[in-house]
């Protein structure tokens, strides 16, 4: 079980869709969550496409 202070993404789609809204309408090829800490550092969490939605990455196996 993760520590209470760990960032844990839920096991549900964080975004849906394959195109940006009009008038742009371009096809989306990647979606990322950018986390900024209080010291200004940034970490990108790349989401993975599956079943028409963008999901949090699969956590690495424990062990």
């Amino acid at each position: 079980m993760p520590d209470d202070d760990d960032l844990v993404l839920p096991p549900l789609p964080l975004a849906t869709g394959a195109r940006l809204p009009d008038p742009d309408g371009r096809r989306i090829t990647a979606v990322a969550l950018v986390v900024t800490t209080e010291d200004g550092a940034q970490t990108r969490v790349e989401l993975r496409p599956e079943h028409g939605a963008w999901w949090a990455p699969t956590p690495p196996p424990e062990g």
Side-chain angles (χ1 to χ4, degrees):
M1 179 103 185
D3 185 305
D4 286 343
D5 288 337
D6 288 347
L7 174 66
V8 179
L9 298 174
L12 53 107
L14 299 176
T16 59
R19 294 188 178 277
L20 293 174
D22 286 333
D24 195 353
R26 291 182 288 171
R27 190 157 197 65
I28 298 168
T29 60
V31 175
L33 171 68
V34 177
V35 179
T36 304
T37 57
E38 58 191 4
D39 64 359
Q42 291 187 335
T43 300
R44 293 176 58 89
V45 178
E46 300 290 332
L47 303 185
R48 61 182 172 79
E50 188 175 321
H51 307 297
W54 296 89
W55 298 76
T58 305
E62 292 184 27

